[in-house]
């Protein structure tokens, strides 16, 4: 009957059909949610993806991006081998005329270019550009750059969400992303955030949003009808860029209507509300509890910012502004003012971030049930320090000003309260173009595409065309690759590399592992560990062994063995930096594992 026929079919079928597979742990980096996943692998091939049930951040949930990972990893258009440019001319209309080369040739060329800078005392003219990363980043981004002798490790952060952190930093003292306790919230006020489609922990929010909609009022300030706006109670279709005006008007209403949360903020000593439109208030007459400067904020900024004033600027009616402000205030302290990237990632967006986040303080939602939460602790370590491996050439090179000109008077670029402590990604292009403070001769970029993702990307096209030697480490050719001299094939984050990332959400912190869990179709190398090791070997052959000696300090915590090749280095470096999570003798908190093997099987702490 049927059974023998099926057996015959199975025997004749291609390898893998009918075989049992295994669910293996992984991490999706399709966005910065960084969800913990599991991948069903049959015969070394990924066939299906699901959420990792062990993650309390994602709760086993996922979104379409993780499923698209399988299409990405087996994409026939992936870069399969190192390639070099044969057309010396660079520009938007210049075909690079790439030809395939061996890893050996590619690495030799890169090492020669770095040695040229060292021999000429020009190490500061080396530059590393970073886009998406794992937390193995410091090997390539920090240690390698310092040991070569350059100050120029440039991240994409200021193009990403740094301005979002201005709000909590300059109001609450936390330079970090927040978590939102949505399941206990009574009112959720979203500012350009779209938790159902494009926000951190989109998987978790998608899973619980039905419950949130049932329990809370949801208002969204957003020029377009986004996925979250379609499910909201109030859509405030604001004129782009005017969010700050709306935020201060809502604050004005909360104070004039007496809706600030008194157990958190405090009150007037006489018990009478003196916040009256247009009138200044004596600071002495208000006794604050957990806030600082609520009266000063009123006098300097809020007293004249009426809903009528805001309606004209924002295009939102006075009635809706009042309704949303009063509903938000009445829900205190279980009310969330949730800032997304759009309102603050623009000129003077830092002020918008502060005004939006200040609302959480006014309604007492900061670090509260049904409000905003700070990040939980995690216990990963740091890589060995590079200082002992930085020779005089490196130390001298490192002292130069950074190519993005951060910290100059007109671009103080303040992060964590220190001028010049942030990055100003786009200005790096201007620095390259103007040779200010010097020219860049050798640059490496990885998992980034500034000539596509940066505002006014045309300046990056010109800047990248100007760099004499540019390397791109990437899975797929992109606009940035077009200007490169060498392109190196990178591993795919979800299936092919050792690494880890950390994320917060839902009241938890997780550290989730990336592991090589499939058979590689082509000869890719890991961007942040294998490639720096291979370059270090080539530099050692040329008499500069500082980097290789440094990397040999990343010893396997279980055996004490130093790495001898790039694959051992990638694994040992990861074990080294995560030891406090998996080694029972170093336990600090969170999930407890019996050792490295159990940690890799579960895949998330």
């Amino acid at each position: 009957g049927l059974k023998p026929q099926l057996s015959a079919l199975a025997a004749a079928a291609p390898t893998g059909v009918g075989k049992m597979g295994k669910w293996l742990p992984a991490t999706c980096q399709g966005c910065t949610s960084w969800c913990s996943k599991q991948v069903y692998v049959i015969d070394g091939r990924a066939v299906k993806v699901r959420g990792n049930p062990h993650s309390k951040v994602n709760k086993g949930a996922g979104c379409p991006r993780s499923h698209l990972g399988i299409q990405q990893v087996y994409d026939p258009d992936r870069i399969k081998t190192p390639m070099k440019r044969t057309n010396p001319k660079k520009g938007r209309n210049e075909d690079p005329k790439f030809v395939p080369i061996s890893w050996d040739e590619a690495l030799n060329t890169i090492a020669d270019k770095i040695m040229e800078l060292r021999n000429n005392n020009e190490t500061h003219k080396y530059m590393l550009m970073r886009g998406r990363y794992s937390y193995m980043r410091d090997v390539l981004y920090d240690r390698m750059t310092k040991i070569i002798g350059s100050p120029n490790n440039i991240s994409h952060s200021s193009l990403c969400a740094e301005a979002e952190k201005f709000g909590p930093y300059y109001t609450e003292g936390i330079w970090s992303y927040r978590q939102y306790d949505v399941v206990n919230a009574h009112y959720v006020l979203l500012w350009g955030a779209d938790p159902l489609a494009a926000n951190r922990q989109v998987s978790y929010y998608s899973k619980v949003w039905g419950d949130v909609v049932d329990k809370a009022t949801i208002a969204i300030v957003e020029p377009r009808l986004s996925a979250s706006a379609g499910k909201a109670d109030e859509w405030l279709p604001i004129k782009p860029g005017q969010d700050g005006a709306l935020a201060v008007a809502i604050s004005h209403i909360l104070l004039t209507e007496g809706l600030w949360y008194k157990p958190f903020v405090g009150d007037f000593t006489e018990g009478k509300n003196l916040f009256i439109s247009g009138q200044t208030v004596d600071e002495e007459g208000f006794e604050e509890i957990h806030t600082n400067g609520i009266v000063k904020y009123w006098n300097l900024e809020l007293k004249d910012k009426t809903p009528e004033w805001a309606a004209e600027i924002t295009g939102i009616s006075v009635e809706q502004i009042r309704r949303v402000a009063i509903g938000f205030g009445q829900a205190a302290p279980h009310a969330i003012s949730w800032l997304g990237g759009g309102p603050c990632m623009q000129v003077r967006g830092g002020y918008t971030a502060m005004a939006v986040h200040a609302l959480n303080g006014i309604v007492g939602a900061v670090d509260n049930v049904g409000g905003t939460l700070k990040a939980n602790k995690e216990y990963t370590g740091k890589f060995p320090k590079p200082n002992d491996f930085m020779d005089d050439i490196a130390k001298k090179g490192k002292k130069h000003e950074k190519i993005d000109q951060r910290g100059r008077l007109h671009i103080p670029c303040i992060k964590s309260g220190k001028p010049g402590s942030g990055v100003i990604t786009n200005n790096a292009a201007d620095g390259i173009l103007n040779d200010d403070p010097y020219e860049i001769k050798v640059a490496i970029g990885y998992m980034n595409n500034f000539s596509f993702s940066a505002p006014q990307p045309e300046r990056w096209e010109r800047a990248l065309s100007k760099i004499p030697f540019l390397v791109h480490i990437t899975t797929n050719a992109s606009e940035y690759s077009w200007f490169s001299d060498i392109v190196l094939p990178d591993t795919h984050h979800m299936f092919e590399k050792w690494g880890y990332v950390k994320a917060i959400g839902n009241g938890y912190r997780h550290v989730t592992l990336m592991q090589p869990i499939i058979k590689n179709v082509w000869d890719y190398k890991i961007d942040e560990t294998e490639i720096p090791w291979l370059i270090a070997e080539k530099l050692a052959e040329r008499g500069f062994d500082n980097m290789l000696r440094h990397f040999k300090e990343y010893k396997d915590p279980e055996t004490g063995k130093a790495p001898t090749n790039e694959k051992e280095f990638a694994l040992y470096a990861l074990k080294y930096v995560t030891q406090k999570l998996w080694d029972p003798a170093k336990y600090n908190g969170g999930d407890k594992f019996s050792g490295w093997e159990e940690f890799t099987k579960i895949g998330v702490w």
Side-chain angles (χ1 to χ4, degrees):
L2 190 59
K3 215 168 173 192
Q5 288 176 33
L6 288 173
S7 303
L9 277 171
T15 319
V17 176
K19 281 192 177 180
M20 288 300 284
K22 263 190 185 157
W23 285 103
L24 299 175
T27 298
C28 177
Q29 284 198 289
C31 77
T32 42
S33 291
W34 289 344
C35 295
S36 190
K37 312 304 294 183
Q38 289 178 333
V39 177
Y40 197 61
V41 178
I42 301 176
D43 223 17
R45 191 172 176 94
V47 295
K48 192 173 164 58
V49 178
R50 70 181 182 192
N52 189 333
H54 299 289
S55 169
K56 293 180 174 74
V57 172
N58 308 129
K59 288 204 156 178
C63 87
R65 290 177 186 85
S66 57
H67 301 291
L68 292 170
I70 295 177
Q71 292 181 26
Q72 291 173 340
V73 75
Y74 296 122
D75 178 4
D77 289 330
R78 269 185 79 176
I79 291 171
K80 302 170 176 70
T81 179
M83 301 192 299
K84 77 171 176 190
R85 178 184 207 94
T86 58
N87 176 9
K89 282 193 200 145
K90 290 184 184 179
R92 172 182 274 227
N93 301 314
E94 291 292 342
D95 181 348
K97 298 202 161 82
F98 284 122
V99 297
I101 53 170
S102 67
W103 273 100
D104 209 44
E105 187 185 336
L107 294 161
N108 279 326
T109 311
I110 294 165
D112 285 342
K113 296 289 180 187
I114 292 169
M115 288 309 293
E116 224 170 276
L117 294 181
R118 286 197 50 87
N119 294 333
N120 296 334
N121 283 311
E122 290 185 315
T123 56
H124 54 287
K125 296 179 181 179
Y126 167 80
M127 176 183 187
L128 190 284
M129 289 173 257
R130 181 186 88 198
R132 184 64 49 84
Y133 55 85
S134 86
Y135 282 93
M136 306 303 286
R137 63 192 184 185
D138 279 354
V139 176
L140 174 61
Y141 180 70
D142 180 272
R143 305 302 194 264
M144 179 167 148
T145 312
K146 282 177 178 165
I147 292 168
I148 288 170
S150 173
N152 290 316
N153 44 0
I154 303 292
S155 80
H156 78 302
S157 297
S158 70
L159 303 176
C160 174
E162 291 299 82
E164 203 181 305
K165 296 175 184 168
F166 273 62
Y169 184 73
Y170 288 104
T171 53
E172 199 184 342
I174 297 170
W175 182 269
S176 149
Y177 302 120
R178 273 92 48 237
Q179 310 181 63
Y180 301 98
D181 183 15
V182 292
V183 290
N184 294 305
H186 298 172
Y187 204 110
V188 181
L189 175 56
L190 299 160
W191 301 81
D194 189 4
L196 293 182
N199 208 84
R200 284 173 186 80
Q201 306 327 327
V202 66
S203 58
Y204 167 71
Y205 294 124
S206 301
K207 184 171 182 155
V208 299
W209 208 250
D211 300 333
V212 180
V213 169
D214 289 344
K215 279 165 54 182
T217 301
I218 298 167
I220 181 161
V221 182
E222 175 71 87
R224 68 189 181 98
L225 187 67
S226 64
S228 299
K231 299 265 186 287
D233 299 283
E234 297 268 4
W235 174 37
L236 296 88
I238 197 163
K239 285 182 186 170
Q242 302 301 344
D243 307 75
L246 182 61
V248 293
I250 290 173
S251 302
H252 177 99
I253 296 164
L254 291 172
L255 298 187
T256 54
E257 296 288 334
L259 289 170
W260 69 90
Y261 188 62
K262 294 177 179 67
F264 184 82
V265 178
D267 201 0
F268 288 101
T269 44
E270 301 294 316
K272 186 183 172 217
N273 185 4
L274 300 177
F275 290 127
I276 296 156
S277 247
Q279 295 184 20
T280 52
V281 173
D282 178 13
E283 287 181 45
E284 296 301 308
F286 195 101
E287 209 169 300
E288 283 183 280
I289 302 171
H290 294 298
T291 59
N292 175 44
I294 190 83
V295 177
K296 194 170 270 174
Y297 188 31
W298 168 264
N299 289 339
L300 288 173
E301 176 61 33
L302 302 179
K303 69 179 171 59
D304 302 316
K305 301 302 178 2
T306 61
E308 289 75 14
W309 167 85
E312 222 168 286
I313 295 170
T314 61
I316 309 293
S317 73
V318 172
E319 295 72 35
Q320 190 175 28
I321 296 173
R322 282 190 61 81
R323 190 169 64 240
V324 167
I326 288 165
F328 183 71
Q330 285 170 342
H334 311 296
I336 294 170
S337 177
W338 181 335
L339 178 68
C344 57
M345 290 308 297
Q346 50 183 286
V347 177
R348 288 175 290 284
Y351 292 110
T352 301
M354 289 153 71
V356 168
H357 194 60
L359 287 165
N360 288 307
I362 293 171
V363 297
V366 171
D367 202 23
N368 189 49
V369 173
T372 72
L373 309 174
K374 64 179 283 196
N376 315 53
K377 268 190 157 170
E378 48 83 29
Y379 305 103
T380 53
K382 286 188 162 65
F383 294 117
K385 285 198 155 86
N387 308 34
D388 294 345
F389 301 90
M390 291 170 67
D391 60 13
D392 290 340
I393 294 172
K395 282 176 190 159
K396 204 173 151 199
K398 172 82 179 62
K399 278 187 182 144
H400 283 76
E401 187 184 355
K402 286 184 186 262
I403 193 69
D404 64 349
Q405 306 164 353
R406 67 185 75 174
R408 290 187 186 179
L409 196 59
H410 66 294
I411 33 171
C413 207
I414 295 172
K415 174 184 120 175
S416 304
K418 224 172 73 190
S421 54
V423 66
I424 182 156
T425 314
N426 247 354
N427 221 55
D430 297 342
I432 294 164
L433 285 167
N434 302 326
D435 289 349
D436 178 11
Y438 42 75
E439 64 189 317
I440 292 293
K441 289 187 170 178
V442 176
I444 297 176
Y446 82 100
M447 291 305 286
N448 70 324
N449 190 9
F450 294 163
S451 46
F452 173 82
S453 61
Q456 199 199 332
E458 173 274 335
R459 80 175 105 178
W460 275 104
E461 294 182 4
R462 286 185 289 126
L464 297 175
S465 300
K466 190 172 182 281
I467 298 172
F469 184 72
L470 180 65
V471 178
H472 199 205
I473 307 169
T474 185
T475 54
N476 292 68
S478 71
E479 287 81 356
Y480 188 103
S481 315
W482 188 255
F483 304 96
S484 302
D485 296 275
I486 284 183
V487 179
L488 298 177
D490 197 1
T491 45
H492 189 283
H493 53 86
M494 195 152 58
F495 312 92
E496 297 173 331
K497 72 199 288 183
W498 285 114
Y500 80 96
V501 292
K502 46 195 181 181
I504 48 168
N506 182 29
Y508 289 94
R509 157 82 75 177
H510 77 190
V511 174
T512 172
L513 287 179
M514 299 140 108
Q515 306 183 54
I517 51 172
I518 64 169
K519 285 179 193 153
N520 283 9
V521 184
W522 298 92
D523 191 11
Y524 318 115
K525 309 268 185 221
I526 303 173
D527 41 32
E528 290 167 327
T529 47
E530 290 183 348
I531 290 173
W533 173 278
L534 292 165
I535 292 171
E537 282 186 335
K538 293 293 186 187
L539 291 172
E541 282 169 21
R542 286 154 177 76
F544 177 59
D545 68 350
N546 299 34
M547 200 146 77
L548 191 61
R549 283 189 294 115
H550 170 70
F551 290 160
K552 284 182 177 171
E553 287 203 324
Y554 297 39
K555 296 187 169 87
D556 181 350
E558 286 189 296
T559 63
K561 193 173 166 287
T564 60
N565 59 47
E566 77 276 18
K567 293 214 171 336
E568 284 179 354
F569 176 62
L571 175 59
Y572 297 175
L574 177 60
K575 288 174 79 173
Y576 180 98
V577 85
T578 58
Q579 186 181 2
K580 287 179 187 166
L581 303 185
W582 56 263
D583 185 343
K586 303 259 183 190
Y587 181 72
N588 274 322
D591 293 339
K592 196 167 190 177
F593 298 104
S594 60
W596 172 251
E597 202 180 325
E598 192 194 0
F599 185 34
T600 58
K601 278 192 180 129
I602 301 288
V604 62
W605 167 88

